[in-house]
Amino acid sequence: MKGRSLMYRAVLVAIAASSFTVVAAERLGSYPVDPEKVSISGISSGAFMANQFHVAHSSLVMGAGMVAGGLYGCSLDRVDGNEAVAFISIATGACMSWPNGLLTAQFYADRITSFAERGWIDPLDGISGDRIYFFTGASDSVVNSETVRRGADVYRTLGVAQADLEILDSSGPGKDAGHSWVTEDFGVPCKDNRDPYINDCDYDQAGDVLEHIYGELNPRSTSLSGTFVEFDQSEFAPNGRPTEHGLFDAGYLYVPSACAPESTGQCPLHVVLHGCKQSVQQLGDEFYRNVGVNEWADSNGIIVLYPQARTVSTEDFPEKSSSDLFEINPEGCWNWFGYAYDERFLFKDGVQVTAIYNMIQRIMGADAPGT
């Protein structure tokens, strides 16, 4: 996240040999997806984006998991005409470290309702019955836990039933976690707030998220049998230029053997969004291979999409001054801040929301263009 600058890891592009295969970058293809079982989750900036995507496309998404983040429109100051005006001071202040500056759940819910009335997001009846998960660790020093709790309160205010809403904060498994996606046995110590923001807390968060969304699942696989597919993300960026819109060149897909293109059944599709400083550009395959989602997906026939954000720095745009660095995203975050390249970032026509939506549509078999 912003304001927690650490040295980036070298890009890791080599894939270790194993019992599964990796397909080199290619055009994203279609797979047998159950259109009633599309869900999304994310950590940190990815949690905020997962929340944005779910609210924008609630008629498509039936469940969402937000880890260490996720309050819709938190950085938004106002709407001018059709433009969403957000400020870094709100994002890094009230949203991350100064919860007294947060607005009420009713305020955020009313704002969402107004966006639905304008047709900028899906009608809100699409949220009813959706399965929602929130998590914040007691040791999180990056995003204040009250922001996460407020995100859950907004869903309650919008009518999500308590039985459909799981929030883990000061009690329950993984409660002492720092700012991280939590695992049972991978990552840095549980209370840490540092790279790679994957923490070993003796808690299988991936399984909890997926079971809350989809119900009881088969035990996770101990050895993956499916395929990782590296696909070209550039066609999903405006004018085929991903860099200036905070998108990496490649995205990744895990396809269990039961969900191969020629399969006759239908598979759920779950989208997982990394956080700041966790993209392939910065961590190589460490995030999308080690957060535990693939093992559950493999044994339960769930396709997993891992879209990738990227850093955008003054080296990419020499004409930008160093004072513009925040606006061009030096840490590879998903756009919940309202970066200058997209004044519609919260809505269905936001650049990154649209890119992820079109990836999903392509996987489902629709002829979804990237632009």
Side-chain angles (χ1 to χ4, degrees), residues 6-28:
L6 294 171
M7 183 178 295
Y8 296 146
R9 291 188 172 215
V11 177
L12 305 176
V13 295
I15 304 298
S18 188
S19 59
F20 49 82
T21 59
V22 177
V23 179
E26 59 182 40
R27 185 177 187 271
L28 182 60

Side-chain angles (χ1 to χ4, degrees), residues 5 108 114 263:
S5 184
Y108 293 112
S114 73
S263 301

